[in-house]
Amino acid sequence: CSMPILRLAALASLLCALAAPVSAQTTFYVDSAQGSDANDGLSLESARSTIASAVASAGAGDVILVNQGSYTEAVAINGKPNLTLRGVGATIVGPSGAHIIRITDSPGLKLSGFHLRGVGTPAAVFLLATVIQAAPVELSNLRISDCENGIFADTPNVRAVIRDTFVHDGTVGIVIRAGQFVIQHTTLAFLSDAGVTSDGGAQVAIKNSLFYRNGTAIRTFASNRSFNAYFGNLTPVPAEPGLLLVDPLIHDEAGRVFLLKAASPLAGAA
């Protein structure tokens, strides 16, 4: 029997992803539907079935490409600098009580292309570093939903860049206990507590991002902070320079489709 068209399209997307410039030593493939952790994971035909298995085999600078499908697991990444973990239409559902992805001492790691969905999940992405990171962790093109915390950084040595990410329907979008963070082109919406919280030792820059219908937009005590963001809550604008009150003109708020209408004042924001 022939492979479904949608799965063929996803496999083609995985091959296209290889064209991106990466300094990979080895590329591992993961496919929840057709893979097996008994495979070597070195081709689409011999894909692994779980992300955790591929991470265990990967080393610094390797690439892991995850095919479309649903993956229920907790993934721990420890001591793997410059690893690339890239999803193509993949959803990771976190097991109750566990972080979905825990990243420790992995400077330069790149995580992108996933929907991270919580079920009693403390954090979708939990960041730790025991020494000062030589390069930031890069989190991009993620959708994070239904987690107590979307992204949580817990040590001062963490450096991270978050961009083109959508965090919604949780408690807090991004918690920065310490470290250096740049948040860019990111939407934080329908969070019962706050879009971003940070402590005094954190360095936080927020650029061209949207806070929408959260309990509070930003709760920060960071001494080194800068904002260039849009605030769409129906409450007074926080007393922070660079936060602008504007109706973003969301395409489908109820359906959580946060595409901007053509007339949106945010269209084309760099």
Side-chain angles (χ1 to χ4, degrees), residues 94-98 119-122:
S96 180
V119 180
T121 302

Side-chain angles (χ1 to χ4, degrees), residues 188-214:
L188 301 115
F190 300 99
L191 300 160
S192 61
D193 188 357
V196 173
T197 68
S198 65
D199 290 349
Q203 299 181 38
V204 183
I206 302 175
K207 306 175 182 179
N208 288 320
S209 293
L210 173 64
F211 297 82
Y212 193 76
R213 295 190 185 278
N214 304 312

Side-chain angles (χ1 to χ4, degrees), residues 20-178:
V22 290
S23 56
Q25 296 175 354
T26 305
T27 297
F28 293 90
Y29 297 84
V30 183
D31 189 315
S32 61
Q34 300 186 15
S36 168
D37 283 348
N39 293 338
D40 61 19
L42 298 179
S43 69
L44 294 173
E45 294 74 21
S46 62
R48 300 280 177 89
S49 62
T50 65
I51 301 167
S53 173
V55 167
S57 297
D62 286 347
V63 173
I64 300 172
L65 298 178
V66 182
N67 201 8
Q68 70 174 14
S70 181
Y71 300 79
T72 301
E73 54 181 304
V75 179
I77 304 172
N78 192 347
K80 296 183 186 288
N82 301 310
L83 179 72
T84 295
L85 177 56
R86 186 183 305 150
V88 181
T91 297
I92 308 178
V93 180
S96 180
H99 306 306
I100 299 177
I101 299 178
R102 183 185 178 100
I103 301 170
T104 305
D105 291 336
S106 299
L109 181 142
K110 296 177 176 62
L111 173 69
S112 66
F114 290 96
H115 180 188
L116 306 178
R117 183 165 61 84
V119 180
T121 302
V125 180
F126 191 81
L127 299 169
L128 290 169
T130 57
V131 297
I132 297 174
Q133 292 183 316
V137 171
E138 298 182 19
L139 310 176
S140 64
N141 295 296
L142 299 174
R143 179 173 184 172
I144 298 172
S145 65
D146 306 297
C147 296
E148 181 179 349
N149 302 290
I151 299 166
F152 197 111
D154 203 31
T155 55
N157 298 317
V158 171
R159 297 171 59 201
V161 175
I162 303 167
R163 57 182 173 80
D164 301 311
T165 287
F166 179 23
V167 186
H168 65 96
D169 293 288
T171 304
V172 179
I174 302 172
V175 179
I176 306 170
R177 289 273 179 85

